[in-house]
Amino acid sequence: MEWIWRESRMTSLLEVDVEQYGDLSVEAADFNDGEQMPDYVGYVNENENPELEIDDVPEEAESLVLVMDDPDARDAVGFTYDHWLVWDIDPDIETIPRGWEPSAEDATVGYNDFVEADYGGPSPPDDSHAYRFKLLALDTELGLDPAARKAVVQMTATMEGEILAATQFVGTYDPSQGTAF
C-alpha cells in the first residue's frame, strides 16, 4: 500500500487521518460517523468503550489494530492524545462489545496517554473534540508487549507486515458531557 508507506515516512500513520482502503468497515452501535458520542464513553462517566461493529475484514488478515485518539487535543496538550490502543485483535471478531476487556488471547491492549493499559474515554478540557476510531487489517500479528507505544505499533506494522485494509470513523464529545479538567 504505497500511499501508507509514503505517509508513514513523513509522519506516523497512526497520527494522521486514515484514508479508506479496501472494504473494511467499523461503526459504532450508539452513534453515527461525525455524531456526538453518548455520555457513558466519557472518562469521568462510565469510561466504557462504545460497541463497535466490524465488517469486511480481508480473508488473508491475521490481526487487526484499533486506535482511538484525539487530534483536537494538540491545542491543549501539544500532541494527539491516545485514548485507546489495541493490537493483535482476532480478525474474525465481528463485534467489540461495550466495555470490552479482552483476554490476552483475544488482543493486546496498550497504554493510553492516561498511562493506563485500558480504554480511556474522552475528557476534553475546552471545546467539543473529534475522536478518531481507526482500524487496520494486517497480514501478520505484531506480538508486541503491552508497554509498546503507538509509534512502535505503527513502525512494526509497516516494517514487518502489510496493511491490507484501513478505515476510520469519528465521534464527538463535549466537556458538558463530563470532563476531568
Side-chain angles (χ1 to χ4, degrees), residues 150-169:
K150 186 164 71 173
V152 173
V153 171
Q154 183 269 321
M155 180 184 69
T156 304
T158 57
M159 298 292 287
E160 295 185 15
E162 181 180 344
I163 299 169
L164 303 171
T167 193
Q168 153 180 316
F169 79 96

Side-chain angles (χ1 to χ4, degrees), residues 105-161:
E105 294 81 36
D106 294 332
T108 301
V109 181
Y111 281 86
N112 57 38
D113 284 327
F114 293 111
V115 195
E116 301 165 342
D118 202 355
Y119 168 84
S123 189
D126 44 17
D127 297 316
S128 182
H129 285 204
Y131 296 83
R132 302 180 295 199
F133 292 80
K134 304 178 217 178
L135 186 67
L136 307 176
L138 306 177
D139 70 348
T140 188
E141 288 186 13
L142 301 179
L144 297 170
D145 184 89
R149 298 300 294 196
K150 186 164 71 173
V152 173
V153 171
Q154 183 269 321
M155 180 184 69
T156 304
T158 57
M159 298 292 287
E160 295 185 15

